[in-house]
Amino acid sequence: MSTQRGEPTGSTQRVPIQLQRLPEMSADEHLRRLRADVETLLEVQLHGWSDEAWEPLASALVEYGGGVIRGWMHTRLIFEEAARGGFGKVRRCPDSWLDDDTIEELTGETVAKALNYFKYEVLMANRWDASRGASLATFFIGQCKRQFANVYRAWFNDLERSQPWGADSSAVDVSRRAGD
């Protein structure tokens, strides 16, 4: 497998990712977004959380969450985001350990676990409250950060144990940067 530039996946050079900044949302637009989220969630609740009602919301969350987590992993911003979220120590691995396939694997597992937890422990437990200002998508990203910390920590520990030489000394603990 190769990167977007045709370099071998194991290459230590990172492919630059261009992130487009979204325009700021006005207060009215934000309120419309929150109202739409409330209506969407109410519709799912009124249909008894049926698969038919849940699937469109779940698909939108997976698409959005996957894009955000994947982008953060490619830029390595995920480590700072997880630390900022207060989800415990997340030791950063050497960049060479995070090839495209690994990023896809970790993103998929992170988003799948986040979606499951978000449905059953957040939405069905009525822990999301639009009046607090966070959209469903924003609240879901918080859950993705939490799950990333857990998924990544398990992956890192398994990989570190399987290496005959242990972890590369360039691995750093980024949790100290949580206040940055």
Side-chain angles (χ1 to χ4, degrees):
M1 182 127 214
S2 63
T3 63
Q4 294 170 359
R5 290 194 169 175
E7 298 164 355
T9 309
S11 171
T12 57
Q13 288 188 333
R14 291 189 358 214
V15 176
I17 303 294
Q18 297 294 324
L19 298 178
Q20 181 179 1
R21 205 141 169 78
L22 296 174
E24 291 293 319
M25 189 180 289
S26 73
D28 286 343
E29 290 170 321
H30 184 68
L31 286 175
R32 278 193 293 278
R33 163 61 21 221
L34 290 174
R35 271 195 291 273
D37 285 354
V38 168
E39 290 170 8
T40 298
L41 185 56
L42 181 58
E43 189 70 24
V44 173
Q45 291 169 332
L46 290 173
H47 284 90
W49 295 93
S50 70
D51 290 344
E52 184 179 338
W54 170 245
E55 180 59 31
L57 176 56
S59 292
L61 292 170
V62 165
E63 182 178 347
Y64 180 70
V68 169
I69 298 303
R70 186 177 301 105
W72 283 349
M73 287 189 70
H74 276 288
T75 62
R76 308 309 192 249
L77 182 61
I78 188 67
F79 299 104
E80 286 76 20
E81 288 294 330
R84 189 175 300 123
F87 301 120
K89 284 187 175 184
V90 180
R91 286 183 57 203
R92 184 173 173 167
C93 70
D95 283 348
S96 63
W97 289 13
L98 290 178
D99 60 22
D100 292 342
D101 291 336
T102 302
I103 288 172
E104 284 304 312
E105 177 185 332
L106 292 173
T107 297
E109 186 175 350
T110 295
V111 172
K113 288 184 177 207
L115 184 66
N116 186 58
Y117 189 93
F118 194 68
K119 178 182 181 182
Y120 293 103
E121 303 298 328
V122 176
L123 298 179
M124 292 179 86
N126 295 314
R127 290 176 49 202
W128 174 71
D129 180 358
S131 69
R132 297 188 69 190
S135 68
L136 282 174
T138 298
F139 217 68
F140 181 66
I141 293 301
Q143 188 53 227
C144 287
K145 291 193 300 188
R146 173 185 299 268
Q147 293 301 326
F148 171 79
N150 296 330
V151 167
Y152 174 82
R153 195 175 293 114
W155 170 83
F156 182 91
N157 290 339
D158 287 347
L159 191 58
E160 188 177 41
R161 276 193 294 276
S162 71
Q163 301 295 327
W165 57 84
D168 185 312
S169 62
S170 65
V172 296
D173 177 5
V174 297
S175 62
R176 283 182 244 131
R177 291 193 237 165
D180 289 350

